[in-house]
């Protein structure tokens, strides 16, 4: 199936731990994003990569570090997890070079920090 | 940066009635305005979009209007059905550089059978 996929779907961990979320898209898109959706459903962009280059870096604690090994993958590593990091994290991708605008979202990763 | 406001935050309508969700944006350079629908526990999905050179766009029961002068745009859903129940997000994308999409705060629509 062509899609944006994320692993894991659920992540429960304790404060202070380090965790990673992986994202892959097989749509041939050149731009990938990480969004955080909090309990109030607000969707806030965190990072964006275009052709492996970081192009958007919002005001996010430096405990969050994205990594894009290639155009099809964008991973998110979080150090020293805090209670406030609990949220659903969505990966998305789009084809900006082709003039297309639609962002395709992954299924989300529900992170719970206890 | 861009700021997108969305109203109302919740909306309940009877099945068959119309629903309207309104958004305003701050950056006059924004040129693309998508609407996403997010069903409970699912991912956001694009349902309709409009560009700044168009005033209105329709797709079956949904339509979007854009007023560039007033910097506001609206989503209209006619003949609502229970499956329209979801959270709807408006968004705006600025035209410069790598265009960041800024989302509104979402509207939870409930269609009562």
């Amino acid at each position: 199936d062509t899609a944006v996929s994320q692993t894991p779907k659920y992540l429960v961990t304790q404060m202070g731990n380090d965790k990673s979320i992986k994202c892959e898209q097989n749509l041939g898109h050149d731009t990938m994003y990480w969004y955080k959706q909090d309990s109030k459903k607000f969707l806030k962009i965190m990072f964006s990569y275009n052709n492996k280059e970081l192009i958007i870096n919002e005001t996010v604690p430096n405990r969050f570090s994205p990594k894009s090994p290639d155009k099809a993958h964008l991973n998110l590593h979080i150090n020293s997890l805090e209670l406030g990091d609990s949220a659903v994290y969505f990966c998305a991708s789009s084809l900006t070079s082709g003039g297309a605008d639609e962002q395709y979202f992954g299924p989300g990763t529900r992170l719970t920090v206890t | 940066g861009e700021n997108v406001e969305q109203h109302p935050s919740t909306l309940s309508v009877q099945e068959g009635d119309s629903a309207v969700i309104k958004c305003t944006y701050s950056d006059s350079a924004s040129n693309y305005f998508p609407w996403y629908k997010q069903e409970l526990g699912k991912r956001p999905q694009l349902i309709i979009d409009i560009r700044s050179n168009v005033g209105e766009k329709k797709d079956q029961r949904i339509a979007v209007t854009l007023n560039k002068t007033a910097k506001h745009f609206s989503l209209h859903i006619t003949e609502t059905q229970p499956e329209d129940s979801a959270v709807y997000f408006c968004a705006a994308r600025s035209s410069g550089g790598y265009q960041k999409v800024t989302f509104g705060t979402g509207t939870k629509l409930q269609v009562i059978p």
Side-chain angles (χ1 to χ4, degrees), chain A residues 23-55:
Chain A
C23 178
E24 176 181 3
Q25 55 92 6
N26 59 6
L27 297 165
H29 290 171
D30 56 5
T31 305
M32 296 185 73
Y33 313 80
W34 276 112
Y35 286 89
K36 179 180 180 181
Q37 185 170 47
D38 61 22
S39 58
K40 293 183 179 177
K41 300 297 186 185
F42 297 155
L43 259 177
K44 196 157 189 312
I45 190 162
M46 301 172 70
F47 303 103
S48 177
Y49 274 73
N50 176 265
N51 288 319
K52 302 196 300 175
E53 180 187 348
L54 180 65
I55 56 171

PDB file of all heavy atoms in Angstrom, chain A residues 23-55:
ATOM      1  N   CYS A  23       9.082   7.232  10.940  1.00  0.00           N
ATOM      2  CA  CYS A  23       8.099   7.543   9.905  1.00  0.00           C
ATOM      3  C   CYS A  23       8.684   7.221   8.535  1.00  0.00           C
ATOM      4  O   CYS A  23       9.845   7.541   8.260  1.00  0.00           O
ATOM      5  CB  CYS A  23       7.699   9.013   9.971  1.00  0.00           C
ATOM      6  SG  CYS A  23       6.528   9.493   8.669  1.00  0.00           S
ATOM      7  N   GLU A  24       7.857   6.629   7.699  1.00  0.00           N
ATOM      8  CA  GLU A  24       8.274   6.307   6.340  1.00  0.00           C
ATOM      9  C   GLU A  24       7.139   6.619   5.381  1.00  0.00           C
ATOM     10  O   GLU A  24       5.973   6.376   5.684  1.00  0.00           O
ATOM     11  CB  GLU A  24       8.631   4.821   6.239  1.00  0.00           C
ATOM     12  CG  GLU A  24       8.990   4.363   4.834  1.00  0.00           C
ATOM     13  CD  GLU A  24       9.308   2.882   4.753  1.00  0.00           C
ATOM     14  OE1 GLU A  24       9.207   2.180   5.773  1.00  0.00           O
ATOM     15  OE2 GLU A  24       9.653   2.425   3.652  1.00  0.00           O
ATOM     16  N   GLN A  25       7.501   7.176   4.224  1.00  0.00           N
ATOM     17  CA  GLN A  25       6.488   7.374   3.190  1.00  0.00           C
ATOM     18  C   GLN A  25       6.996   6.782   1.876  1.00  0.00           C
ATOM     19  O   GLN A  25       8.168   6.911   1.549  1.00  0.00           O
ATOM     20  CB  GLN A  25       6.128   8.876   3.035  1.00  0.00           C
ATOM     21  CG  GLN A  25       7.292   9.810   2.764  1.00  0.00           C
ATOM     22  CD  GLN A  25       7.586  10.058   1.314  1.00  0.00           C
ATOM     23  OE1 GLN A  25       6.831   9.613   0.427  1.00  0.00           O
ATOM     24  NE2 GLN A  25       8.669  10.766   1.025  1.00  0.00           N
ATOM     25  N   ASN A  26       6.084   6.131   1.165  1.00  0.00           N
ATOM     26  CA  ASN A  26       6.446   5.546  -0.127  1.00  0.00           C
ATOM     27  C   ASN A  26       5.658   6.198  -1.252  1.00  0.00           C
ATOM     28  O   ASN A  26       5.345   5.569  -2.255  1.00  0.00           O
ATOM     29  CB  ASN A  26       6.250   4.025  -0.108  1.00  0.00           C
ATOM     30  CG  ASN A  26       4.817   3.629   0.200  1.00  0.00           C
ATOM     31  OD1 ASN A  26       3.940   4.495   0.293  1.00  0.00           O
ATOM     32  ND2 ASN A  26       4.567   2.358   0.361  1.00  0.00           N
ATOM     33  N   LEU A  27       5.358   7.485  -1.057  1.00  0.00           N
ATOM     34  CA  LEU A  27       4.597   8.254  -2.045  1.00  0.00           C
ATOM     35  C   LEU A  27       5.498   9.019  -2.997  1.00  0.00           C
ATOM     36  O   LEU A  27       5.000   9.717  -3.883  1.00  0.00           O
ATOM     37  CB  LEU A  27       3.658   9.228  -1.312  1.00  0.00           C
ATOM     38  CG  LEU A  27       2.595   8.563  -0.428  1.00  0.00           C
ATOM     39  CD1 LEU A  27       1.979   9.570   0.526  1.00  0.00           C
ATOM     40  CD2 LEU A  27       1.530   7.891  -1.268  1.00  0.00           C
ATOM     41  N   GLY A  28       6.798   8.945  -2.782  1.00  0.00           N
ATOM     42  CA  GLY A  28       7.725   9.703  -3.620  1.00  0.00           C
ATOM     43  C   GLY A  28       7.747  11.181  -3.308  1.00  0.00           C
ATOM     44  O   GLY A  28       8.198  11.990  -4.122  1.00  0.00           O
ATOM     45  N   HIS A  29       7.272  11.550  -2.116  1.00  0.00           N
ATOM     46  CA  HIS A  29       7.241  12.961  -1.722  1.00  0.00           C
ATOM     47  C   HIS A  29       8.620  13.467  -1.334  1.00  0.00           C
ATOM     48  O   HIS A  29       9.499  12.691  -0.956  1.00  0.00           O
ATOM     49  CB  HIS A  29       6.270  13.156  -0.562  1.00  0.00           C
ATOM     50  CG  HIS A  29       4.839  12.990  -0.970  1.00  0.00           C
ATOM     51  ND1 HIS A  29       3.800  12.936  -0.048  1.00  0.00           N
ATOM     52  CD2 HIS A  29       4.252  12.885  -2.182  1.00  0.00           C
ATOM     53  CE1 HIS A  29       2.653  12.806  -0.697  1.00  0.00           C
ATOM     54  NE2 HIS A  29       2.912  12.764  -1.990  1.00  0.00           N
ATOM     55  N   ASP A  30       8.796  14.799  -1.435  1.00  0.00           N
ATOM     56  CA  ASP A  30      10.104  15.373  -1.132  1.00  0.00           C
ATOM     57  C   ASP A  30      10.134  16.110   0.206  1.00  0.00           C
ATOM     58  O   ASP A  30      11.202  16.534   0.647  1.00  0.00           O
ATOM     59  CB  ASP A  30      10.550  16.320  -2.253  1.00  0.00           C
ATOM     60  CG  ASP A  30       9.538  17.428  -2.527  1.00  0.00           C
ATOM     61  OD1 ASP A  30       8.536  17.540  -1.796  1.00  0.00           O
ATOM     62  OD2 ASP A  30       9.741  18.181  -3.494  1.00  0.00           O
ATOM     63  N   THR A  31       8.988  16.276   0.824  1.00  0.00           N
ATOM     64  CA  THR A  31       8.921  17.027   2.074  1.00  0.00           C
ATOM     65  C   THR A  31       8.179  16.214   3.124  1.00  0.00           C
ATOM     66  O   THR A  31       7.139  15.620   2.837  1.00  0.00           O
ATOM     67  CB  THR A  31       8.209  18.375   1.856  1.00  0.00           C
ATOM     68  OG1 THR A  31       8.881  19.077   0.801  1.00  0.00           O
ATOM     69  CG2 THR A  31       8.258  19.226   3.114  1.00  0.00           C
ATOM     70  N   MET A  32       8.734  16.192   4.330  1.00  0.00           N
ATOM     71  CA  MET A  32       8.117  15.458   5.434  1.00  0.00           C
ATOM     72  C   MET A  32       8.036  16.359   6.655  1.00  0.00           C
ATOM     73  O   MET A  32       8.817  17.309   6.808  1.00  0.00           O
ATOM     74  CB  MET A  32       8.911  14.185   5.746  1.00  0.00           C
ATOM     75  CG  MET A  32       8.901  13.202   4.577  1.00  0.00           C
ATOM     76  SD  MET A  32       9.711  11.636   4.944  1.00  0.00           S
ATOM     77  CE  MET A  32       8.507  10.868   6.044  1.00  0.00           C
ATOM     78  N   TYR A  33       7.065  16.061   7.517  1.00  0.00           N
ATOM     79  CA  TYR A  33       6.746  16.936   8.651  1.00  0.00           C
ATOM     80  C   TYR A  33       6.497  16.100   9.913  1.00  0.00           C
ATOM     81  O   TYR A  33       6.068  14.954   9.833  1.00  0.00           O
ATOM     82  CB  TYR A  33       5.453  17.720   8.376  1.00  0.00           C
ATOM     83  CG  TYR A  33       5.341  18.374   7.020  1.00  0.00           C
ATOM     84  CD1 TYR A  33       4.971  17.640   5.898  1.00  0.00           C
ATOM     85  CD2 TYR A  33       5.576  19.738   6.872  1.00  0.00           C
ATOM     86  CE1 TYR A  33       4.846  18.240   4.654  1.00  0.00           C
ATOM     87  CE2 TYR A  33       5.450  20.349   5.628  1.00  0.00           C
ATOM     88  CZ  TYR A  33       5.083  19.590   4.527  1.00  0.00           C
ATOM     89  OH  TYR A  33       4.952  20.197   3.295  1.00  0.00           O
ATOM     90  N   TRP A  34       6.719  16.746  11.042  1.00  0.00           N
ATOM     91  CA  TRP A  34       6.239  16.212  12.320  1.00  0.00           C
ATOM     92  C   TRP A  34       5.294  17.241  12.935  1.00  0.00           C
ATOM     93  O   TRP A  34       5.627  18.430  13.014  1.00  0.00           O
ATOM     94  CB  TRP A  34       7.381  15.951  13.299  1.00  0.00           C
ATOM     95  CG  TRP A  34       8.047  14.637  13.101  1.00  0.00           C
ATOM     96  CD1 TRP A  34       9.314  14.401  12.658  1.00  0.00           C
ATOM     97  CD2 TRP A  34       7.481  13.340  13.323  1.00  0.00           C
ATOM     98  NE1 TRP A  34       9.571  13.058  12.593  1.00  0.00           N
ATOM     99  CE2 TRP A  34       8.458  12.384  12.996  1.00  0.00           C
ATOM    100  CE3 TRP A  34       6.234  12.882  13.778  1.00  0.00           C
ATOM    101  CZ2 TRP A  34       8.248  11.004  13.099  1.00  0.00           C
ATOM    102  CZ3 TRP A  34       6.022  11.512  13.880  1.00  0.00           C
ATOM    103  CH2 TRP A  34       7.024  10.589  13.543  1.00  0.00           C
ATOM    104  N   TYR A  35       4.123  16.744  13.352  1.00  0.00           N
ATOM    105  CA  TYR A  35       3.142  17.562  14.047  1.00  0.00           C
ATOM    106  C   TYR A  35       2.883  16.959  15.422  1.00  0.00           C
ATOM    107  O   TYR A  35       2.938  15.747  15.608  1.00  0.00           O
ATOM    108  CB  TYR A  35       1.805  17.583  13.299  1.00  0.00           C
ATOM    109  CG  TYR A  35       1.782  18.405  12.042  1.00  0.00           C
ATOM    110  CD1 TYR A  35       2.124  17.846  10.808  1.00  0.00           C
ATOM    111  CD2 TYR A  35       1.416  19.749  12.077  1.00  0.00           C
ATOM    112  CE1 TYR A  35       2.092  18.606   9.648  1.00  0.00           C
ATOM    113  CE2 TYR A  35       1.375  20.513  10.920  1.00  0.00           C
ATOM    114  CZ  TYR A  35       1.713  19.939   9.710  1.00  0.00           C
ATOM    115  OH  TYR A  35       1.678  20.691   8.567  1.00  0.00           O
ATOM    116  N   LYS A  36       2.541  17.834  16.363  1.00  0.00           N
ATOM    117  CA  LYS A  36       2.114  17.385  17.687  1.00  0.00           C
ATOM    118  C   LYS A  36       0.659  17.783  17.862  1.00  0.00           C
ATOM    119  O   LYS A  36       0.284  18.936  17.602  1.00  0.00           O
ATOM    120  CB  LYS A  36       2.965  18.052  18.779  1.00  0.00           C
ATOM    121  CG  LYS A  36       2.564  17.668  20.190  1.00  0.00           C
ATOM    122  CD  LYS A  36       3.442  18.370  21.225  1.00  0.00           C
ATOM    123  CE  LYS A  36       3.040  17.995  22.649  1.00  0.00           C
ATOM    124  NZ  LYS A  36       3.876  18.689  23.678  1.00  0.00           N
ATOM    125  N   GLN A  37      -0.177  16.814  18.266  1.00  0.00           N
ATOM    126  CA  GLN A  37      -1.578  17.106  18.552  1.00  0.00           C
ATOM    127  C   GLN A  37      -1.830  16.840  20.031  1.00  0.00           C
ATOM    128  O   GLN A  37      -1.754  15.707  20.491  1.00  0.00           O
ATOM    129  CB  GLN A  37      -2.516  16.274  17.691  1.00  0.00           C
ATOM    130  CG  GLN A  37      -3.985  16.650  17.877  1.00  0.00           C
ATOM    131  CD  GLN A  37      -4.898  16.006  16.856  1.00  0.00           C
ATOM    132  OE1 GLN A  37      -4.818  14.810  16.598  1.00  0.00           O
ATOM    133  NE2 GLN A  37      -5.777  16.802  16.256  1.00  0.00           N
ATOM    134  N   ASP A  38      -2.146  17.900  20.766  1.00  0.00           N
ATOM    135  CA  ASP A  38      -2.324  17.752  22.207  1.00  0.00           C
ATOM    136  C   ASP A  38      -3.749  17.311  22.531  1.00  0.00           C
ATOM    137  O   ASP A  38      -4.551  17.048  21.639  1.00  0.00           O
ATOM    138  CB  ASP A  38      -1.952  19.052  22.925  1.00  0.00           C
ATOM    139  CG  ASP A  38      -2.817  20.231  22.499  1.00  0.00           C
ATOM    140  OD1 ASP A  38      -3.945  20.015  21.991  1.00  0.00           O
ATOM    141  OD2 ASP A  38      -2.372  21.370  22.675  1.00  0.00           O
ATOM    142  N   SER A  39      -4.039  17.270  23.812  1.00  0.00           N
ATOM    143  CA  SER A  39      -5.335  16.752  24.265  1.00  0.00           C
ATOM    144  C   SER A  39      -6.500  17.613  23.811  1.00  0.00           C
ATOM    145  O   SER A  39      -7.630  17.159  23.731  1.00  0.00           O
ATOM    146  CB  SER A  39      -5.351  16.623  25.785  1.00  0.00           C
ATOM    147  OG  SER A  39      -5.079  17.870  26.376  1.00  0.00           O
ATOM    148  N   LYS A  40      -6.225  18.881  23.481  1.00  0.00           N
ATOM    149  CA  LYS A  40      -7.279  19.772  22.985  1.00  0.00           C
ATOM    150  C   LYS A  40      -7.391  19.699  21.463  1.00  0.00           C
ATOM    151  O   LYS A  40      -8.143  20.455  20.867  1.00  0.00           O
ATOM    152  CB  LYS A  40      -6.995  21.219  23.413  1.00  0.00           C
ATOM    153  CG  LYS A  40      -7.086  21.439  24.910  1.00  0.00           C
ATOM    154  CD  LYS A  40      -6.867  22.897  25.259  1.00  0.00           C
ATOM    155  CE  LYS A  40      -6.992  23.099  26.757  1.00  0.00           C
ATOM    156  NZ  LYS A  40      -6.725  24.499  27.157  1.00  0.00           N
ATOM    157  N   LYS A  41      -6.677  18.787  20.867  1.00  0.00           N
ATOM    158  CA  LYS A  41      -6.723  18.539  19.429  1.00  0.00           C
ATOM    159  C   LYS A  41      -5.991  19.586  18.594  1.00  0.00           C
ATOM    160  O   LYS A  41      -6.116  19.576  17.368  1.00  0.00           O
ATOM    161  CB  LYS A  41      -8.177  18.418  18.918  1.00  0.00           C
ATOM    162  CG  LYS A  41      -8.943  17.291  19.574  1.00  0.00           C
ATOM    163  CD  LYS A  41      -8.334  15.957  19.277  1.00  0.00           C
ATOM    164  CE  LYS A  41      -9.187  14.837  19.825  1.00  0.00           C
ATOM    165  NZ  LYS A  41      -8.539  13.521  19.641  1.00  0.00           N
ATOM    166  N   PHE A  42      -5.250  20.504  19.225  1.00  0.00           N
ATOM    167  CA  PHE A  42      -4.508  21.480  18.436  1.00  0.00           C
ATOM    168  C   PHE A  42      -3.403  20.770  17.668  1.00  0.00           C
ATOM    169  O   PHE A  42      -2.645  19.981  18.223  1.00  0.00           O
ATOM    170  CB  PHE A  42      -3.887  22.552  19.335  1.00  0.00           C
ATOM    171  CG  PHE A  42      -4.881  23.395  20.089  1.00  0.00           C
ATOM    172  CD1 PHE A  42      -4.525  24.018  21.270  1.00  0.00           C
ATOM    173  CD2 PHE A  42      -6.175  23.568  19.616  1.00  0.00           C
ATOM    174  CE1 PHE A  42      -5.441  24.804  21.968  1.00  0.00           C
ATOM    175  CE2 PHE A  42      -7.091  24.333  20.302  1.00  0.00           C
ATOM    176  CZ  PHE A  42      -6.729  24.950  21.483  1.00  0.00           C
ATOM    177  N   LEU A  43      -3.300  21.077  16.362  1.00  0.00           N
ATOM    178  CA  LEU A  43      -2.269  20.506  15.504  1.00  0.00           C
ATOM    179  C   LEU A  43      -1.172  21.535  15.312  1.00  0.00           C
ATOM    180  O   LEU A  43      -1.382  22.557  14.684  1.00  0.00           O
ATOM    181  CB  LEU A  43      -2.864  20.183  14.130  1.00  0.00           C
ATOM    182  CG  LEU A  43      -3.239  18.760  13.796  1.00  0.00           C
ATOM    183  CD1 LEU A  43      -3.865  18.706  12.416  1.00  0.00           C
ATOM    184  CD2 LEU A  43      -2.044  17.827  13.869  1.00  0.00           C
ATOM    185  N   LYS A  44       0.004  21.236  15.837  1.00  0.00           N
ATOM    186  CA  LYS A  44       1.077  22.227  15.771  1.00  0.00           C
ATOM    187  C   LYS A  44       2.286  21.619  15.081  1.00  0.00           C
ATOM    188  O   LYS A  44       2.739  20.540  15.443  1.00  0.00           O
ATOM    189  CB  LYS A  44       1.461  22.651  17.189  1.00  0.00           C
ATOM    190  CG  LYS A  44       2.272  23.913  17.239  1.00  0.00           C
ATOM    191  CD  LYS A  44       2.151  24.567  18.597  1.00  0.00           C
ATOM    192  CE  LYS A  44       2.750  25.939  18.647  1.00  0.00           C
ATOM    193  NZ  LYS A  44       4.015  26.195  18.154  1.00  0.00           N
ATOM    194  N   ILE A  45       2.792  22.332  14.075  1.00  0.00           N
ATOM    195  CA  ILE A  45       3.949  21.818  13.373  1.00  0.00           C
ATOM    196  C   ILE A  45       5.184  21.925  14.261  1.00  0.00           C
ATOM    197  O   ILE A  45       5.346  22.878  15.019  1.00  0.00           O
ATOM    198  CB  ILE A  45       4.178  22.537  12.031  1.00  0.00           C
ATOM    199  CG1 ILE A  45       5.249  21.786  11.229  1.00  0.00           C
ATOM    200  CG2 ILE A  45       4.549  23.994  12.241  1.00  0.00           C
ATOM    201  CD1 ILE A  45       5.266  22.125   9.774  1.00  0.00           C
ATOM    202  N   MET A  46       6.034  20.918  14.166  1.00  0.00           N
ATOM    203  CA  MET A  46       7.278  20.919  14.933  1.00  0.00           C
ATOM    204  C   MET A  46       8.469  21.105  13.989  1.00  0.00           C
ATOM    205  O   MET A  46       9.291  21.984  14.175  1.00  0.00           O
ATOM    206  CB  MET A  46       7.429  19.607  15.688  1.00  0.00           C
ATOM    207  CG  MET A  46       6.300  19.312  16.655  1.00  0.00           C
ATOM    208  SD  MET A  46       6.414  17.658  17.329  1.00  0.00           S
ATOM    209  CE  MET A  46       7.850  17.808  18.380  1.00  0.00           C
ATOM    210  N   PHE A  47       8.554  20.240  12.996  1.00  0.00           N
ATOM    211  CA  PHE A  47       9.688  20.249  12.074  1.00  0.00           C
ATOM    212  C   PHE A  47       9.206  19.922  10.662  1.00  0.00           C
ATOM    213  O   PHE A  47       8.176  19.279  10.478  1.00  0.00           O
ATOM    214  CB  PHE A  47      10.721  19.186  12.458  1.00  0.00           C
ATOM    215  CG  PHE A  47      11.263  19.282  13.849  1.00  0.00           C
ATOM    216  CD1 PHE A  47      10.814  18.427  14.841  1.00  0.00           C
ATOM    217  CD2 PHE A  47      12.234  20.220  14.167  1.00  0.00           C
ATOM    218  CE1 PHE A  47      11.302  18.508  16.128  1.00  0.00           C
ATOM    219  CE2 PHE A  47      12.733  20.313  15.447  1.00  0.00           C
ATOM    220  CZ  PHE A  47      12.262  19.449  16.433  1.00  0.00           C
ATOM    221  N   SER A  48      10.023  20.362   9.689  1.00  0.00           N
ATOM    222  CA  SER A  48       9.792  19.941   8.317  1.00  0.00           C
ATOM    223  C   SER A  48      11.134  19.766   7.623  1.00  0.00           C
ATOM    224  O   SER A  48      12.067  20.557   7.846  1.00  0.00           O
ATOM    225  CB  SER A  48       8.938  20.971   7.568  1.00  0.00           C
ATOM    226  OG  SER A  48       8.790  20.568   6.224  1.00  0.00           O
ATOM    227  N   TYR A  49      11.232  18.735   6.807  1.00  0.00           N
ATOM    228  CA  TYR A  49      12.425  18.464   6.022  1.00  0.00           C
ATOM    229  C   TYR A  49      12.052  18.422   4.553  1.00  0.00           C
ATOM    230  O   TYR A  49      11.040  17.839   4.174  1.00  0.00           O
ATOM    231  CB  TYR A  49      13.021  17.103   6.402  1.00  0.00           C
ATOM    232  CG  TYR A  49      13.959  17.135   7.575  1.00  0.00           C
ATOM    233  CD1 TYR A  49      13.471  17.309   8.866  1.00  0.00           C
ATOM    234  CD2 TYR A  49      15.328  17.000   7.405  1.00  0.00           C
ATOM    235  CE1 TYR A  49      14.324  17.338   9.952  1.00  0.00           C
ATOM    236  CE2 TYR A  49      16.196  17.030   8.483  1.00  0.00           C
ATOM    237  CZ  TYR A  49      15.688  17.201   9.753  1.00  0.00           C
ATOM    238  OH  TYR A  49      16.542  17.236  10.828  1.00  0.00           O
ATOM    239  N   ASN A  50      12.879  19.057   3.736  1.00  0.00           N
ATOM    240  CA  ASN A  50      12.734  18.979   2.293  1.00  0.00           C
ATOM    241  C   ASN A  50      14.009  18.355   1.737  1.00  0.00           C
ATOM    242  O   ASN A  50      15.100  18.899   1.917  1.00  0.00           O
ATOM    243  CB  ASN A  50      12.499  20.364   1.691  1.00  0.00           C
ATOM    244  CG  ASN A  50      12.439  20.331   0.169  1.00  0.00           C
ATOM    245  OD1 ASN A  50      13.446  20.565  -0.501  1.00  0.00           O
ATOM    246  ND2 ASN A  50      11.280  20.047  -0.366  1.00  0.00           N
ATOM    247  N   ASN A  51      13.866  17.216   1.074  1.00  0.00           N
ATOM    248  CA  ASN A  51      15.042  16.512   0.541  1.00  0.00           C
ATOM    249  C   ASN A  51      16.144  16.364   1.588  1.00  0.00           C
ATOM    250  O   ASN A  51      17.317  16.671   1.331  1.00  0.00           O
ATOM    251  CB  ASN A  51      15.591  17.232  -0.698  1.00  0.00           C
ATOM    252  CG  ASN A  51      14.684  17.059  -1.891  1.00  0.00           C
ATOM    253  OD1 ASN A  51      14.152  15.986  -2.135  1.00  0.00           O
ATOM    254  ND2 ASN A  51      14.483  18.138  -2.620  1.00  0.00           N
ATOM    255  N   LYS A  52      15.770  15.931   2.754  1.00  0.00           N
ATOM    256  CA  LYS A  52      16.667  15.658   3.881  1.00  0.00           C
ATOM    257  C   LYS A  52      17.211  16.920   4.551  1.00  0.00           C
ATOM    258  O   LYS A  52      18.019  16.817   5.477  1.00  0.00           O
ATOM    259  CB  LYS A  52      17.848  14.767   3.468  1.00  0.00           C
ATOM    260  CG  LYS A  52      17.467  13.437   2.886  1.00  0.00           C
ATOM    261  CD  LYS A  52      18.647  12.469   2.863  1.00  0.00           C
ATOM    262  CE  LYS A  52      19.794  13.003   2.049  1.00  0.00           C
ATOM    263  NZ  LYS A  52      20.983  12.114   2.123  1.00  0.00           N
ATOM    264  N   GLU A  53      16.791  18.089   4.085  1.00  0.00           N
ATOM    265  CA  GLU A  53      17.289  19.330   4.686  1.00  0.00           C
ATOM    266  C   GLU A  53      16.216  19.923   5.601  1.00  0.00           C
ATOM    267  O   GLU A  53      15.057  20.084   5.195  1.00  0.00           O
ATOM    268  CB  GLU A  53      17.645  20.334   3.597  1.00  0.00           C
ATOM    269  CG  GLU A  53      18.163  21.662   4.129  1.00  0.00           C
ATOM    270  CD  GLU A  53      18.355  22.690   3.028  1.00  0.00           C
ATOM    271  OE1 GLU A  53      18.309  22.295   1.849  1.00  0.00           O
ATOM    272  OE2 GLU A  53      18.524  23.880   3.356  1.00  0.00           O
ATOM    273  N   LEU A  54      16.603  20.293   6.817  1.00  0.00           N
ATOM    274  CA  LEU A  54      15.667  20.893   7.770  1.00  0.00           C
ATOM    275  C   LEU A  54      15.269  22.276   7.281  1.00  0.00           C
ATOM    276  O   LEU A  54      16.112  23.142   7.061  1.00  0.00           O
ATOM    277  CB  LEU A  54      16.331  20.995   9.144  1.00  0.00           C
ATOM    278  CG  LEU A  54      15.489  21.600  10.269  1.00  0.00           C
ATOM    279  CD1 LEU A  54      14.298  20.698  10.580  1.00  0.00           C
ATOM    280  CD2 LEU A  54      16.336  21.821  11.511  1.00  0.00           C
ATOM    281  N   ILE A  55      13.956  22.501   7.078  1.00  0.00           N
ATOM    282  CA  ILE A  55      13.496  23.790   6.568  1.00  0.00           C
ATOM    283  C   ILE A  55      12.565  24.500   7.528  1.00  0.00           C
ATOM    284  O   ILE A  55      12.392  25.707   7.438  1.00  0.00           O
ATOM    285  CB  ILE A  55      12.806  23.629   5.191  1.00  0.00           C
ATOM    286  CG1 ILE A  55      11.648  22.618   5.264  1.00  0.00           C
ATOM    287  CG2 ILE A  55      13.807  23.247   4.130  1.00  0.00           C
ATOM    288  CD1 ILE A  55      10.790  22.574   4.020  1.00  0.00           C
TER     289      ILE A  55
END
